[in-house]
């Protein structure tokens, strides 16, 4: 092939290949910003929000917006088809009690919708949860774990050579959970070099999915076990899990919520603690350090695991869900999955049973029992896990604790947040 032809081919490839990978962001952006850099105010102060509809970072004339404003999840102002002549407006908000005030904006530009929001905190350090602690909370969980441990782990381990490398051996593992035949599955990563290592347990967010394992957190210096919670193999094709999520496990978080013994989360929480049992059985574990971490549902499971197992030496929870379920019964933002948000005015035995059950599966009642160092991070704009619940739960922690706020994040991560999380955990494990 002539040099000119080769050069033409290379240029053509250079022009074509990146096209599919270069879509990033939107031409239109909705910016909503407060007048305090930290987004924090004292109760009684007034927050001033600036709303801007931008095209290529410049204001859009005669922009049409809808917006809601007020305490998060309970906006008391709703306006539609507001025309912003110069593409911008200001809005004032205040609160008479500790909490979070949110303005959410939807702009209609060229037939499409674009959204933006900003959530200001008012004396968040004074927030307190609403949930009541059952008198038999400890007795219930102690008995549950004692009975579960009557069943041996009967661990099984299969090397996954395609996921392993010269530094890390990766396995799919399983072990018995709450009763014989009920198994927890996960991906275990162990440094290939013989030695004793600290360990990290990764617990999952909501959903049904496969897991690839963690070979990126200090791969030559730490054991990491990443678990699923549904009692199924975690190495199947995605369609396998989609079928479960759309079928037998659809809305699994609601299963059995009228009984503390029948709740789906009873087996899930037990599985997390038995995962600690499994890690502690590994000859490669150093016998000293086991941390637990997760986001969303995994944040709750991190809290629960550390509360129920004193072998846990640190906790890292990101936008933790399942906290302060009953807050919505008082007209305050409640934790995902928002059990009582749409039934606050309903009465009856089922509602009463659900309220009572929720208290045994509320992150607030678990964090009261955590004594090890705990790092918590979330965003003020989170519309899945309200910061009201995340902050009130954090305030309940009575241990060495660190709060890292990334105000603008919703139910997602910023890179800096991810990096900080990883570095904090490595420090706790004394690895680099």
């Amino acid at each position: 092939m002539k040099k000119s032809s080769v050069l033409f081919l290379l240029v053509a490839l250079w022009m074509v290949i990146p096209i599919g990978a270069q879509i990033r962001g939107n031409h239109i952006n909705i910016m909503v910003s407060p007048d305090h850099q930290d987004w924090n105010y004292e109760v009684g102060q007034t927050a001033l929000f600036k709303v801007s509809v931008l095209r290529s970072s410049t204001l859009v004339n005669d922009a049409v917006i809808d917006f809601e404003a007020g305490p998060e999840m309970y906006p008391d102002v709703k306006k539609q088809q507001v025309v912003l002549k110069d593409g911008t407006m200001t809005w004032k908000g205040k609160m008479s009690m500790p909490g979070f005030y949110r303005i959410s904006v939807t702009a209609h530009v060229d037939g499409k919708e674009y959204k933006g929001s900003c959530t200001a905190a008012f004396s968040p350090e004074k927030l307190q949860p609403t949930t009541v602690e059952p008198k038999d909370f400890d007795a219930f969980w102690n008995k549950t774990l004692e009975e579960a441990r009557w069943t041996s782990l009967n661990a099984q381990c299969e090397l996954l050579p395609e996921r392993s490398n010269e530094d890390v051996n990766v396995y799919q593992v399983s072990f018995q959970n709450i009763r014989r035949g009920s198994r927890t599955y996960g991906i275990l990563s162990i440094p290939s070099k013989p030695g004793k290592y600290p360990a990290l347990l990764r617990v999952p967010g909501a959903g049904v999915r496969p897991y690839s394992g963690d070979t990126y957190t200090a791969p030559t210096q730490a054991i990491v076990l990443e678990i699923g919670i549904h009692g199924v193999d975690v190495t199947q094709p995605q369609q396998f899990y989609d079928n479960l999520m759309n079928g037998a496990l659809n809305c699994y978080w609601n299963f059995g919520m009228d009984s503390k013994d029948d709740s789906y989360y009873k087996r899930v929480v037990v599985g997390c603690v038995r995962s600690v049992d499994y890690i502690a059985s590994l000859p490669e574990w150093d016998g000293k350090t086991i941390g637990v971490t997760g986001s969303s549902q995994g944040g709750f499971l991190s809290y629960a695991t550390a509360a129920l197992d004193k072998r846990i030496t640190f906790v890292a929870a990101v936008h933790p869900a399942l906290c302060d379920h009953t807050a919505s019964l008082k007209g305050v933002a409640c934790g995902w999955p928002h059990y009582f948000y749409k039934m606050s005015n309903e009465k009856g035995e089922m509602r009463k049973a659900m309220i009572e059950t929720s208290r045994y599966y509320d992150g607030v009642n678990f964090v009261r029992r955590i004594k090890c160092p705990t790092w918590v991070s979330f965003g003020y704009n989170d519309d899945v896990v309200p910061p009201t619940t995340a902050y009130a739960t954090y305030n309940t922690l009575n241990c060495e604790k660190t709060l890292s706020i990334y105000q603008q994040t919703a139910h997602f991560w910023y890179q800096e947040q991810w990096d900080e999380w990883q570095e904090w955990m490595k420090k706790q494990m004394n690895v680099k």
Side-chain angles (χ1 to χ4, degrees), residues 336-363:
W336 181 91
H338 315 140
Y339 286 127
F340 309 114
Y341 182 48
K342 298 298 185 180
M343 59 183 295
S344 57
N345 294 321
E346 296 179 12
K347 298 180 180 180
E349 291 303 312
M350 176 63 78
R351 177 176 178 270
K352 181 179 178 181
M354 289 182 65
I355 292 171
E356 182 63 25
T357 298
S358 75
R359 293 167 177 158
Y360 294 87
Y361 301 94
D362 194 310

Side-chain angles (χ1 to χ4, degrees), residues 97-395:
M97 62 181 62
F100 285 81
Y101 185 101
R102 175 172 294 160
I103 175 170
S104 299
V105 179
T106 300
H108 307 275
V109 181
D110 299 332
K112 296 182 179 180
E113 292 186 350
Y114 300 87
K115 299 181 183 294
S117 63
C118 182
T119 311
F122 286 82
S123 303
E125 71 284 352
K126 297 179 181 179
L127 280 166
Q128 293 299 313
T130 67
T131 191
V132 175
E133 182 178 306
K135 291 181 180 180
D136 67 339
F137 185 88
D138 289 321
F140 169 74
W141 282 110
N142 288 339
K143 181 181 178 183
T144 296
L145 291 172
E146 180 185 1
E147 291 178 350
R149 284 172 170 144
W150 292 346
T151 300
S152 65
L153 286 172
N154 186 24
Q156 298 176 5
C157 184
E158 175 191 359
L159 179 67
L160 302 175
E162 71 280 5
R163 301 189 188 185
S164 303
N165 56 49
E166 61 181 9
D167 295 322
V168 183
N169 291 321
V170 180
Y171 307 85
Q172 177 170 237
V173 300
S174 73
F175 40 87
Q176 293 191 123
N177 183 328
I178 198 168
R179 59 186 174 274
R180 187 174 300 277
S182 172
R183 302 187 74 83
T184 293
Y185 289 78
I187 303 295
L188 176 68
S189 302
I190 300 181
S192 56
K193 183 179 179 180
K196 299 288 187 178
Y197 299 97
L200 177 66
L201 172 62
R202 289 191 178 275
V203 288
V208 189
R209 63 183 71 84
Y211 293 94
S212 58
D214 177 345
T215 57
Y216 50 86
T217 301
T220 63
Q221 302 175 76
I223 298 165
V224 185
L225 174 61
E226 181 179 42
I227 63 167
I229 61 170
H230 301 298
V232 296
D233 185 316
V234 294
T235 61
Q236 295 299 310
Q238 182 64 47
Q239 188 61 49
F240 173 84
Y241 306 98
D242 291 345
N243 291 341
L244 283 173
M245 190 63 186
N246 293 318
L249 294 180
N250 184 247
C251 294
Y252 65 83
W253 44 84
N254 293 325
F255 294 177
M257 274 306 294
D258 59 343
S259 166
K260 64 183 178 183
D261 286 309
D262 295 336
S263 169
Y264 191 84
Y265 279 111
K266 181 179 180 181
R267 180 189 172 281
V268 172
V269 170
V270 170
C272 293
V273 176
R274 301 228 70 189
S275 297
V276 181
D277 290 345
Y278 175 70
I279 290 172
S281 74
L282 296 173
E284 294 88 354
W285 179 50
D286 67 8
K288 297 181 294 183
T289 303
I290 303 179
V292 60
T293 189
S295 63
S296 195
Q297 174 188 263
F300 158 72
L301 294 176
S302 297
Y303 286 157
T305 306
L308 297 176
D309 197 318
K310 301 310 177 187
R311 290 172 295 185
I312 294 296
T313 55
F314 68 88
V315 180
V318 182
H319 39 252
L322 289 110
C323 293
D324 209 14
H325 298 301
T326 55
S328 57
L329 299 175
K330 298 180 180 296
V332 177
C334 59
W336 181 91
H338 315 140
Y339 286 127
F340 309 114
Y341 182 48
K342 298 298 185 180
M343 59 183 295
S344 57
N345 294 321
E346 296 179 12
K347 298 180 180 180
E349 291 303 312
M350 176 63 78
R351 177 176 178 270
K352 181 179 178 181
M354 289 182 65
I355 292 171
E356 182 63 25
T357 298
S358 75
R359 293 167 177 158
Y360 294 87
Y361 301 94
D362 194 310
V364 171
N365 288 330
F366 285 106
V367 301
R368 301 182 199 277
R369 291 158 171 78
I370 294 176
K371 300 303 178 184
C372 60
T374 301
W375 182 88
V376 182
S377 185
F378 52 87
Y380 285 1
N381 278 344
D382 198 329
D383 56 359
V384 176
V385 172
T388 297
T389 67
Y391 220 123
T393 305
Y394 175 82
N395 290 342

Side-chain angles (χ1 to χ4, degrees), residues 2-46:
K2 295 181 179 179
K3 289 184 178 180
S4 58
S5 299
V6 172
L7 180 61
F8 176 80
L9 178 59
L10 290 174
V11 171
L13 288 172
W14 177 80
M15 294 176 65
V16 173
I17 290 174
I19 290 177
Q22 294 302 309
I23 297 175
R24 183 182 300 174
N26 290 311
H27 190 43
I28 306 296
N29 287 283
I30 314 305
M31 180 66 68
V32 188
S33 55
D35 60 337
H36 283 193
Q37 286 186 338
D38 61 2
W39 298 34
N40 290 339
Y41 300 80
E42 297 295 326
V43 166
Q45 287 185 314
T46 298

